[in-house]
Amino acid sequence: MASIPQFIRNLLDRPGSAGLGPFRRVATQAAAREDRVRALTDLSRPPIDDLAEFCAIAREAAHRTLDMRPFDVQLVGALALLSGHVAEMATGEGKTLAGAIAAAGHALRGKKVHVISVNDYLARRDAEWMGPFYEALGVSVAWIGQSSTPEERRRAYAKDVTYASVSEIGFDVLRDRIATSTADVIVPQPSVALIDEADSVLVDEARVPLVLAGAADPGTDAPETAELVRRLSRGYHYELDEQGRNVFLTAKGTDAVEKALGGINLYETPDMLTRVNLALHAHALLTRDVDYLVRDGRIHLVSQSRGRVATLQRWPDGLQAAVEAKEALPASETGEILDSITIQGLIRRYPEICGMTGTAVAVEEQLREFYGLKVAVVPPNKPCVRVDEPDRVFGTVADKERALVAEIASVHATGRPILIGTLDVSESERLADDLRAEGLDCVVLNAKNDAEEAAIIAQAGARSAITVSTQMAGRGTDIRLGEGVGELGGLYVIGSGRHASSRLDDQLRGRAGRQGDPGGSVFLVSLEDDLITHYAPDEGLPTADDDGVVRHKRAEYVVGHAQRVAEGAHLEIHRNTWRYTRLLERQRDLVLEQRDKVLRGDSAAEALATAAPERWEELSALVGEPVLREVAREIVLFHLDRCWTEHLGFMSDVREGIHLRALGHKLKPLDEFHREGVVAYRRLLDEVERRSVETFATASITSDGLDPLESGLKRPTATWTYLVQDNPFGNAFDRVLKRLTPRARRRQGLEEA
Ligand code: ADP
Ligand code: MG
């Protein structure tokens, strides 16, 4: 009869996702071997072709070394990861261990595994925590952090399993791409990526380009332009679009700006138009303390999806300078973009991808569309008993905030711990002030470092704790309930507003009710929240009763609708970015293939000897073949890299200008971009050859090789890396669109299919 509940459980597996049946069977078989395996002394290198045996031994290894006996659902999760799925497992279910079991399995199959975390703190914590487990299985492991030296990185990548944040791996890959000797290459061929918090890496941050820049120039600030736009008024000189994401000059505004600039025609001076638009963007769309902070005389970006200060991030140069000008700060250095890769492009390099997260089903479609991944929904070890209350909707922000403080005060009086998730840093700070004014002590988490945040949030389940936190602060950290807190109802999570995606709401809720703990959650929403005003502006809004509460049934619909519109808008941006970056990333792969032949082989020497045989003979006699081959390599690598950088710059200009040109010619912008891209790519290859031959013909080459200065082959003296913040306004494409009014765009059929 035991098969009946199993049968029913299989039926209950969510539609559209992978069935767990086969994984469950393996877990059951593993359990049957537990007693025998317990007697083994050596657990090293278990057989991976017998999955049940592998699971039994991995379970025993975890039990012995970590004092955690993996639950069946953790084995099921690990098996889902081993077969290339995204495993959905709720917060607190023990994904770190499930992931380590899977990573060990992949490693035993002979693969190098990168366990990709969202930040350095988690990479290190998990690698160190799981270290003894890997050791018992005979699998080597290491981690990489921002301050790891090249040598440490190389050693870490040589291990079977390497833990690192997505940006560290990405920057290593980018730096490798300009290495001029094989000895400088750090990252081995990609093999398996196992991604923690997979939805945030694969979907939310997928569009973020990681950028390698070089050759610093002082930036050009534009204080006059900032001053100029400061005098413009919204609604008269400029308008925001319905969603508040784009800003554009009105005819009046254009006249005023042109006059102020001495009677120029803006649309005939594209440079000036760009500067004005950037300044206007900085002025009207980016808000201090919401989108960025000013600290130590510098701009610090606040990451929208993480709700915290994003280190090492900046906007694209022009916008960064415009914001610096707006805040009257000196312009920071700018650089030339040597190369870049989106997180999506980075992850797609891996032949095998798998991942885990508490919220995958909501992005099932994207995971399939962009990565060919399927979701496996793993049930919790103990049923979740958290009570998720329906939203409480208020007419105004003021009413909502008053209710929020009152709710916190009354629940706090019982001793129950409360975690309040806010949408941004300034909101956290406002709320903390309000709470303190009521005599309520609270801890605020927003823009500190990950390790500190983890330590603080771990205490959020203590009796009487009030913790105010932006969305992702302290994520990945377990919140355990303090003494007697279970009887009080467990952790109570309050969202101060619904997020732009239901996944983010669910992640916040998931902070409570881990492993069958009691817990509760509720969101307070106002009809004046950005989500509603941006994404459901035309919906007839229900009205509030005298106490400020909206009780009309329609409120629930409006909130859900706004969220779905927001999710749709973000998906469309993701698709669009991908359409544009795909061509460049494919071209980059082709160039890198050539580059690799030059770096590791003799293709540069062959090419130059063929193109300039006499010169080759002459130099060969003079300096000897080995030196000459090295020189040939240096010359071709230099020009390859240089031409690629120029190609990137050119294509970014094309993309910036394409909508304006398409406007005149009725071309589809994406087609036009592709056409230009293909032509430019052909030119690039010819140009590499032409320049290499020219350098080879004219440079003075001695037995010491080539003098880089004298030959003009000077590489950037310093390189640095940054993430272009994935803010909804950030990329060049969006900025271009913003120069056109929405009406003009629609008229010209420029909204992309
Ligand atoms: P997740 O990443 O899924 O949110 P973690 O991996 O951070 O969860 O684990 C949450 C907590 O559960 C940790 O404190 C860990 O020690 C504990 N844990 C995980 N697996 C087990 C297990 N099999 N037995 C006991 N405790 C476990
Ligand atoms: Mg985790």
Side-chain angles (χ1 to χ4, degrees):
M1 292 304 285
S3 65
I4 290 174
Q6 179 65 52
F7 173 74
I8 290 172
R9 260 189 282 153
N10 286 349
L11 282 183
L12 290 177
D13 281 346
R14 312 271 293 258
S17 53
L20 300 182
F23 305 144
R24 286 212 176 97
R25 276 191 289 281
V26 173
T28 309
Q29 291 162 12
R33 303 180 186 198
E34 200 156 348
D35 290 337
R36 175 174 56 75
V37 166
R38 193 166 302 134
L40 299 177
T41 44
D42 182 13
L43 301 177
S44 188
R45 314 296 294 179
I48 186 64
D49 39 352
D50 180 350
L51 283 174
E53 187 71 6
F54 165 72
C55 284
I57 292 180
R59 169 177 274 166
E60 178 60 21
H63 201 176
R64 277 187 209 172
T65 57
L66 307 174
D67 197 21
M68 289 193 279
R69 179 186 170 278
F71 307 120
D72 280 5
V73 286
Q74 283 174 300
L75 293 184
V76 168
L79 290 163
L81 293 168
L82 263 172
S83 56
H85 291 87
V86 172
E88 180 173 281
M89 297 171 71
T91 309
E93 285 295 306
K95 288 187 285 293
T96 314
L97 178 55
I101 295 172
H106 281 296
L108 290 166
R109 284 179 179 158
K111 305 278 172 56
K112 289 236 176 298
V113 188
H114 293 173
V115 181
I116 300 179
S117 305
V118 287
N119 63 45
D120 282 8
Y121 163 76
L122 290 173
R124 177 175 183 172
R125 182 199 73 176
D126 292 353
E128 291 182 340
W129 181 15
M130 296 293 129
F133 164 75
Y134 284 112
E135 196 188 337
L137 293 183
V139 171
S140 59
V141 60
W143 55 269
I144 290 169
Q146 203 177 343
S147 52
S148 304
T149 64
E151 198 38 50
E152 287 164 347
R153 287 166 194 265
R154 203 173 285 113
R155 274 205 301 276
Y157 284 119
K159 305 288 186 193
D160 300 322
V161 179
T162 313
Y163 282 76
S165 68
V166 66
S167 46
E168 285 313 306
I169 295 179
F171 293 141
D172 282 342
V173 165
L174 285 178
R175 282 185 289 251
D176 275 358
R177 288 171 164 195
I178 57 162
T180 52
S181 116
T182 48
D184 295 339
V185 174
I186 286 181
V187 191
Q189 277 295 317
S191 169
V192 178
L194 194 161
I195 304 159
D196 195 9
E197 312 273 1
D199 58 329
S200 98
V201 174
L202 296 176
V203 177
D204 298 333
E205 307 200 335
R207 295 176 279 144
V208 177
L210 300 149
V211 176
L212 181 71
D217 290 324
T220 45
D221 59 348
E224 319 79 34
T225 328
E227 189 45 46
L228 172 67
V229 300
R230 211 167 308 190
R231 295 199 303 262
L232 304 179
S233 343
R234 173 168 170 191
Y236 184 74
H237 294 110
Y238 65 87
E239 296 274 12
L240 305 190
D241 73 0
E242 314 90 58
Q243 309 192 336
R245 292 193 35 226
N246 297 323
V247 55
F248 50 89
L249 288 173
T250 58
K252 291 257 175 15
T254 307
D255 287 349
V257 169
E258 288 178 340
K259 191 157 334 120
L261 291 172
I264 63 163
N265 180 336
L266 258 189
Y267 290 85
E268 281 168 10
T269 26
D271 282 0
M272 191 43 88
L273 180 59
T274 306
R275 273 170 60 183
V276 170
N277 273 305
L278 289 169
L280 198 54
H281 185 130
H283 174 70
L285 294 180
L286 297 177
T287 311
R288 184 168 171 163
D289 293 332
V290 174
D291 299 299
Y292 61 92
L293 311 177
V294 178
R295 230 189 252 165
D296 314 324
R298 290 197 325 126
I299 301 284
H300 297 262
L301 270 66
V302 173
S303 156
Q304 296 290 315
S305 59
R306 296 179 184 179
R308 50 184 306 256
V309 166
T311 48
L312 275 182
Q313 296 193 359
R314 50 182 286 145
W315 285 292
D317 281 338
L319 188 55
Q320 181 83 18
V323 177
E324 284 158 353
K326 169 184 171 188
E327 298 295 341
L329 299 171
S332 54
E333 289 181 318
T334 69
E336 182 176 42
I337 293 181
L338 301 176
D339 202 359
S340 82
I341 189 171
T342 59
I343 288 182
Q344 180 162 340
L346 178 72
I347 300 293
R348 283 171 56 108
R349 296 165 70 246
Y350 292 84
E352 276 185 78
I353 306 170
C354 56
M356 48 199 188
T357 169
T359 44
V361 169
V363 283
E364 211 159 32
E365 238 176 276
Q366 277 110 304
L367 294 173
R368 193 171 38 233
E369 175 176 342
F370 296 118
Y371 305 94
L373 286 170
K374 258 179 119 175
V375 173
V377 181
V378 181
N381 182 44
K382 292 191 191 145
C384 178
V385 298
R386 187 186 59 234
V387 180
D388 296 327
E389 293 172 39
D391 292 351
R392 292 182 207 164
V393 183
F394 299 84
T396 65
V397 170
D399 281 334
K400 176 181 84 169
E401 291 184 344
R402 252 193 307 277
L404 183 61
V405 173
E407 175 75 2
I408 294 168
S410 84
V411 173
H412 176 71
T414 69
R416 188 179 185 187
I418 307 169
L419 174 69
I420 304 107
T422 64
L423 298 181
D424 58 56
V425 176
S426 68
E427 197 188 332
S428 286
E429 248 131 49
R430 222 171 42 239
L431 176 61
D433 288 344
D434 291 350
L435 291 174
R436 284 177 192 132
E438 295 289 313
L440 298 167
D441 232 0
C442 62
V443 188
V444 184
L445 284 190
N446 38 43
K448 303 206 177 99
N449 76 60
D450 294 309
E452 250 174 60
E453 284 174 1
I456 295 172
I457 201 124
Q459 299 305 316
R463 182 185 272 268
S464 298
I466 303 179
T467 312
V468 180
S469 167
T470 46
Q471 169 62 10
M472 281 302 163
R475 67 172 152 175
T477 306
D478 209 20
I479 303 181
R480 291 176 183 246
L481 300 183
E483 274 294 299
V485 165
E487 289 85 85
L488 298 172
L491 180 65
Y492 185 44
V493 168
I494 308 178
S496 70
R498 293 271 296 264
H499 298 88
S501 120
S502 61
R503 271 179 307 119
L504 299 180
D505 292 346
D506 289 344
Q507 283 166 13
L508 178 61
R509 287 191 211 279
R511 291 289 195 171
R514 60 174 281 288
Q515 288 283 343
D517 279 348
S521 76
V522 68
F523 282 83
L524 273 57
V525 182
S526 104
L527 297 178
E528 292 175 350
D529 286 357
D530 287 351
L531 179 70
I532 313 289
T533 56
H534 286 181
Y535 294 105
D538 304 328
E539 296 296 324
L541 296 179
T543 45
D545 296 341
D546 288 345
D547 57 357
V549 179
V550 182
R551 293 188 177 79
H552 197 285
K553 267 202 146 13
R554 198 172 153 68
E556 190 191 345
Y557 163 79
V558 169
V559 174
H561 173 75
Q563 199 172 47
R564 281 188 298 277
V565 172
E567 286 168 353
H570 282 109
L571 174 57
E572 213 27 61
I573 296 175
H574 186 168
R575 283 212 178 101
N576 235 329
T577 311
W578 183 236
R579 285 189 189 113
Y580 279 90
T581 48
R582 195 168 37 190
L583 175 78
L584 279 180
E585 293 195 347
R586 221 182 285 142
Q587 293 182 341
R588 186 56 175 141
D589 287 342
L590 293 172
V591 170
L592 285 171
E593 216 176 285
Q594 297 293 321
R595 193 182 193 282
D596 215 48
K597 288 189 189 138
V598 174
L599 184 66
R600 294 170 200 277
D602 258 343
S603 74
E606 280 157 23
L608 289 178
T610 313
E614 284 167 25
R615 174 78 169 155
W616 185 271
E617 287 296 314
E618 170 202 335
L619 285 171
S620 182
L622 199 68
V623 305
E625 280 264 331
V627 173
L628 199 54
R629 282 175 189 281
E630 209 42 59
V631 167
R633 179 174 296 133
E634 250 175 78
I635 291 176
V636 176
L637 285 180
F638 177 85
H639 289 302
L640 251 182
D641 293 347
R642 189 66 230 154
C643 287
W644 177 255
T645 297
E646 289 173 12
H647 182 66
L648 269 186
F650 174 75
M651 290 311 291
S652 129
D653 286 350
V654 169
R655 192 167 155 187
E656 289 260 342
I658 203 123
H659 292 82
L660 295 174
R661 252 180 307 150
L663 208 56
H665 295 105
K666 302 243 160 23
L667 288 168
K668 283 210 140 155
L670 184 65
D671 293 346
E672 173 77 352
F673 180 81
H674 273 242
R675 207 181 54 75
E676 293 261 11
V678 170
V679 174
Y681 178 72
R682 258 185 242 128
R683 211 158 49 219
L684 170 139
L685 295 182
D686 292 345
E687 192 61 15
V688 173
E689 181 175 341
R690 194 188 64 72
R691 291 189 199 177
S692 300
V693 170
E694 186 180 301
T695 304
F696 188 63
T698 55
S700 80
I701 295 164
T702 68
S703 51
D704 290 336
L706 190 72
D707 178 350
L709 273 183
E710 184 264 349
S711 59
L713 307 192
K714 198 170 162 306
R715 285 181 173 269
T717 42
T719 59
W720 74 97
T721 50
Y722 55 90
L723 286 155
V724 177
Q725 169 55 24
D726 182 23
N727 69 80
F729 331 102
N731 66 42
F733 172 71
D734 296 337
R735 277 184 284 131
V736 167
L737 275 187
K738 180 173 319 115
R739 290 175 203 157
L740 311 169
T741 68
R743 213 177 324 114
R745 267 188 276 147
R746 274 196 290 276
R747 204 172 45 234
Q748 299 294 335
L750 273 177
E751 303 284 55
E752 305 216 6

